[in-house]
Amino acid sequence: MTDIATRATHTPRAVQSPGGRRRLSGGGPRAGTVLAFITPFFLPFVLFYLVPVGYALWQSFRVVRRTGGQYGTSYTTFGGFEQYGQVFHDSEFWSSIGRIGLFGIVQVPVMLFTALIIALLLDTPLLRLKAFFRITAFMPYAVPGVIATIMWSYLYSPQLSPVVELLEGIGLQPDFLGAGAVLWSTANVSTWLWTGYNMLIMYSALQSVPQELYEAARIDGASNWTIAWRVKVPIIFPSIVLTTVFSIIGTLQLYAEPAVLRQISSHISSTFTPNMLAYAVASGNNYQQAAAISVVIAVITFVLSFGFMRLTSKRAGL
């Protein structure tokens, strides 16, 4: 009898609506209310993300033809995978991919390892003035990428840099903008900009770890070093994976730093990175091929990000 009474109490009752139709009282939220909540996100998402992506994809399958020879009337028509064929046969495209791949293989691990070390140092109970060091480490992220690159360009310039002058004074001949160093000069700017951002994600993850775990490890005789690498790092591993995925995406989107340094270095071409190549092609009014390049970059970004997530998902618990 008790179970029957309980079910009767919690079962929605059919009530008479003002229009004479029967409806259930105690039902879910109305569709209009749900729509009002999701529209502020969904509408800009469709207009400023899905529509541009769809338009770029559509443009990538179109080609420009001419009637009557080179100086004839041009028209745009469906070309299938012709633009993609040109992209895959373009040596400049593969050179930019190789260059950015080398950039990511070196820069991303260095940046994330530095961010992890700073996050662990900020989380240790031995460090004083934590708020000051936390703000100091995060501050470069607040500087726009273009402004940061202009600042570093003065430190790289042989005519203006006090760093170059100091190194020349001790017998060294640095060439930060030379053919062999300009890629790593760009990597240095990116590392300076984004280390604080990644550090903050890792540090926030560390703050959510229960202190009882650290106390139990100390009772077992673990040192601060052991706690850091055997307790803290495994626990925040999902955050490390997240920052790695963000860094992979950001690496393939690299544009601002080399574009600014190109003004003072002859060793940075207009096709230095895949994004710069797409912009250079679009500047030549070949929007269809630029769209194809953008789509290929997006696919490579998705494959690398998704592949890394799949490789690390079991260990990260994602």
Side-chain angles (χ1 to χ4, degrees):
M1 292 294 293
T2 303
D3 294 338
I4 297 174
T6 303
R7 288 198 298 270
T9 303
H10 290 85
T11 302
R13 296 183 297 106
V15 297
Q16 194 76 14
S17 65
R21 292 174 296 184
R22 296 169 67 83
R23 63 180 177 86
L24 292 177
S25 64
R30 295 181 179 179
T33 304
V34 175
L35 187 62
F37 275 103
I38 67 174
T39 297
F41 164 79
F42 190 70
L43 188 60
F45 177 76
V46 171
L47 291 178
F48 302 111
Y49 185 81
L50 294 183
V51 171
V53 168
Y55 181 72
L57 187 61
W58 176 72
Q59 282 278 21
S60 68
F61 288 105
R62 299 176 66 80
V63 294
V64 176
R65 308 289 190 196
R66 292 186 180 274
T67 58
Q70 182 178 358
Y71 300 101
T73 304
S74 63
Y75 64 96
T76 305
T77 185
F78 180 77
F81 291 95
E82 181 177 333
Q83 296 291 358
Y84 291 98
Q86 294 181 15
V87 171
F88 290 132
H89 286 88
D90 186 2
S91 60
E92 292 289 345
F93 173 76
W94 291 114
S95 295
S96 66
I97 290 293
R99 197 176 294 116
I100 209 67
L102 180 61
F103 177 98
I105 289 173
V106 176
Q107 189 267 341
V108 170
V110 170
M111 176 181 63
L112 295 182
F113 182 76
T114 304
L116 177 62
I117 294 298
I118 297 174
L120 292 173
L121 289 174
L122 289 174
D123 192 60
T124 180
L126 303 177
L127 183 67
R128 305 300 179 187
L129 301 174
K130 290 185 179 182
F132 169 77
F133 288 112
R134 184 169 62 248
I135 294 174
T136 302
F138 183 73
M139 193 176 297
Y141 176 68
V143 180
V146 173
I147 303 301
T149 310
I150 292 174
M151 292 167 49
W152 277 98
S153 66
Y154 284 105
L155 297 177
Y156 292 151
S157 175
Q159 294 79 22
L160 303 173
S161 174
V163 176
V164 173
E165 183 178 357
L166 178 63
L167 293 175
E168 289 178 344
I170 60 175
L172 299 177
Q173 299 295 325
D175 186 7
F176 295 116
L177 301 174
V182 70
L183 181 65
W184 311 120
S185 297
T186 306
N188 178 64
V189 178
S190 297
T191 303
W192 184 81
L193 275 170
W194 292 97
T195 297
Y197 171 81
N198 294 298
M199 175 275 299
L200 191 64
I201 295 177
M202 298 177 190
Y203 179 72
S204 299
L206 286 170
Q207 294 302 292
S208 64
V209 178
Q211 295 297 315
E212 291 79 5
L213 290 176
Y214 303 153
E215 294 174 2
R218 291 190 182 94
I219 291 174
D220 289 340
S223 63
N224 289 327
W225 177 267
T226 303
I227 292 174
W229 294 107
R230 297 294 181 88
V231 179
K232 294 182 179 181
V233 172
I235 290 176
I236 68 168
F237 189 73
S239 298
I240 298 175
V241 172
L242 180 66
T243 54
T244 304
V245 172
F246 287 165
S247 299
I248 292 172
I249 297 172
T251 297
L252 288 164
Q253 293 179 344
L254 185 68
Y255 179 83
E257 292 87 344
V260 174
L261 290 177
R262 183 169 179 253
Q263 308 303 315
I264 60 173
S265 175
S266 59
H267 297 286
I268 297 180
S269 65
S270 60
T271 61
F272 192 74
T273 68
N275 263 3
M276 292 179 68
L277 173 62
Y279 180 80
V281 171
S283 299
N285 295 327
N286 194 347
Y287 303 113
Q288 293 76 23
Q289 188 173 359
I293 294 172
S294 301
V295 172
V296 173
I297 294 172
V299 171
I300 293 175
T301 303
F302 172 78
V303 169
L304 291 178
S305 303
F306 184 75
F308 181 80
M309 288 285 290
R310 289 284 294 178
L311 288 174
T312 57
S313 59
K314 291 183 179 180
R315 181 178 176 183
L318 298 175

